[in-house]
Amino acid sequence: MKEIVRLENVWKIYDMGEVKIEALRGITLEIREGEYVIIVGPSGSGKSTLLHILGLLDKPTKGLVLMEGQDTSKMKDKKLAHLRNRKIGFVFQSYNLLPRLSALENVELPMIYAGVPPRKRRKRALELLELVGLGNRIHHRPNQLSGGQQQRVAVARALANDPVFILADEPTGNLDTKSGEELLKLFRKLHEMGKTLVVVTHNLEIVSEGTRVIRIKDGMIESVERRGA
Amino acid sequence: MEILKEVTRSLLSNKVRTFLSMLGIVIGVTAVIMVMSLGAGMKESVTKRLTSLGSNIILVMPGIVGGSGGKIAQALESLQEEDVKDIESMCPSVKKAIGLITGNFLIQHRDKNTRASVYAAPSGIFQILNLKISSGRSFSEDEEEKNVAIIGQEIAYNLFEDENPLGKKIYIVQGGRKLIFEIIGVFAKTGNILMLNPDNLILIPYNTGKYKLFQSHKNVSMILASSFSPEAAESAVMEIDHLLYNKFHQQENYYRIISQEAILNVVSESVSIMNLVLLSIAAVSLVVGGIGIMNIMLVSVVERTREIGIKMAIGASRTRIMIEFLVESIMITFLAGAIGILLGILGSNTIVSAFGKAYGLKPVINPLSLLVAFGVSASVGLFFGLYPAYRASKLSPIEALRYE
């Protein structure tokens, strides 16, 4: 399978003046097309930092981040924004939808940044909302939707520009059990459709879903567990 | 397009704040428009008034001497008929010159009487001054020695009230003598212009006045001249000055030269200065308004920190974020400019209809000034929106996403 993202000996050190905090200490990993990777670890393990680096929101202090083989360390903001827009779909713990926009408009937003023409954009957004089971809620604002529904809108938004992988940060963290299960079902469906998923979590229930589980501790990879399928 | 839509939405979602942040600019632009339109209107109405008697007019008056050391100030009888001829023939910029003999007399009609300025002038006066006659006619060259008169509205009212004065006889009382004149015309109502008030004026032919009424020999009370064009006015004045200066043996206080052009220049200059002062005050309000906008936009950046983070995460570049905020502040000020222009037009019209009618004041709205107002308010938005927009674009996406 094709390699999508590759981290090579990635360090992240926060310089807090007198103390230096080493959030990541030499992480090397690669994510391949069609994988469903779960990254778990206790809080403070460097999970979030890893997620930000994988999502090109932050740069490592040392080491390389290769996105489809391209070194991202020297890229300018515009190029990084472009990559985030086209290659990565974010799903956050707290949904992070724009409150003023309807579900449909939220899903359209990444396509606006990508310069997709309006008609095509709308069609695609409608298809995606249909896919996540919200075809009848397209004009609702986030505050008119339940948490589970908002998170599904967020997934539809993540899929908007057909990214090479979806990066989810504690996606079930704010959801009740039932909504959480529905979201996992949706993720499974996406995985079956051939999407690549990277989920950062400490929810052990998700662990059983992935094809690979990476455990992080103290900024290092503690163990990698490959699973069938 | 998308940015405009997005910005409109964010402005509409906070109507009260948007409105309040606009206020400063609205007031500033309103003030600018009002100052500009009223200023231009004032200039126009003053000019119109000053030129209503004709253009390119030059007045030569005798000098005033005395006034100190117990002597009563008195106008000299310095100007003479030959000066008139010389001015007309020897000053190349002067198109026409006439002499006038003036005096103040008691005027009688039946049992009524009044006082009026009597001007004796050749019929050429009508070529220099645009004296409008509301009824009757003016006199011609063949009537230079006839006892005919054209009277002003005020005199007509004082002597005849509602009766038609045309064809009626009046007496001009000179010492013990009474001279009878037939009224052949009445001036239209004009008001006082350039030291001349046609409303309280009786105009009679020059020779009639010279020989019968004033019995003067060669003296004239003043000389009225016109230049070929407004541009020639200045050189005409210089030529006349040069001529008279030599004639009066370099006694420059023997005469005074007043040109309409000079008065117009002074008027338009003072109006311009006043406008400039008022405009600078209005500009302060624009700056204050701009600072208000900057303030609101900075608050807005903080408020929308999380939103900015989300947008960056899903692919908005820093430039895009910056443009969104800039467009927002420009839109606020642009809208404020539009409202200000409307209010300014409305305001100046209101002021004019409340106070200005009597003075013939009309607001003059120059399309250029509207353009300038729009341009200035949009630039205020750009200038004061720059810093907040820059701040927004420099947010770290991670920090922004973490922001609650």
Side-chain angles (χ1 to χ4, degrees), chain B residues 230-241:
Chain B
E231 296 75 42
E234 203 178 325
S235 46
V237 168
M238 272 158 59
E239 289 157 14
I240 296 171
D241 188 40

Side-chain angles (χ1 to χ4, degrees), chain B residues 1-176:
Chain B
M1 263 327 284
E2 293 303 331
I3 292 183
L4 281 183
K5 216 163 120 192
E6 166 72 16
V7 166
T8 313
R9 204 190 319 253
S10 101
L11 290 180
L12 286 180
S13 71
N14 221 328
K15 290 192 194 79
V16 175
R17 181 198 288 183
T18 305
F19 172 73
L20 287 177
S21 57
M22 275 184 196
L23 263 186
I25 303 288
V26 169
I27 292 169
V29 171
T30 304
V32 167
I33 291 291
M34 277 174 67
V35 167
M36 282 173 92
S37 76
L38 289 178
M42 202 157 91
K43 205 154 153 180
E44 196 181 87
S45 91
V46 172
T47 308
K48 205 167 145 195
R49 202 170 157 71
L50 280 174
T51 52
S52 65
L53 270 187
S55 44
N56 318 329
I57 300 167
I58 297 163
L59 219 56
V60 185
M61 316 263 282
I64 292 169
V65 292
S68 63
K71 284 191 201 151
I72 292 171
Q74 225 168 1
L76 289 168
E77 292 192 348
S78 52
L79 299 169
Q80 302 205 322
E81 279 177 2
E82 69 171 64
D83 300 332
V84 181
K85 279 200 199 89
D86 289 347
I87 286 174
E88 199 176 52
S89 59
M90 290 162 71
C91 300
S93 300
V94 172
K95 188 178 169 196
K96 189 162 183 64
I98 57 162
L100 293 172
I101 313 174
T102 66
N104 206 291
F105 297 99
L106 188 70
I107 317 294
Q108 277 189 338
H109 172 73
R110 298 208 181 125
D111 56 340
K112 288 186 177 145
N113 64 71
T114 185
R115 289 199 81 84
S117 303
V118 177
Y119 278 52
S123 59
I125 190 171
F126 295 106
Q127 288 161 38
I128 298 178
L129 295 184
N130 177 25
L131 290 165
K132 288 192 192 74
I133 288 169
S134 64
S135 62
R137 59 182 182 86
S138 60
F139 48 77
S140 63
E141 264 177 74
D142 334 325
E143 293 174 301
E144 290 279 283
E145 286 185 45
K146 291 215 168 123
N147 285 19
V148 290
I150 304 167
I151 64 172
Q153 290 277 346
E154 236 172 82
I155 300 164
Y157 181 79
N158 288 345
L159 295 180
F160 304 99
E161 283 179 29
D162 300 328
E163 256 182 281
N164 182 2
L166 290 182
K168 299 262 160 52
K169 302 278 192 285
I170 52 168
Y171 291 106
I172 298 180
V173 184
Q174 154 74 313

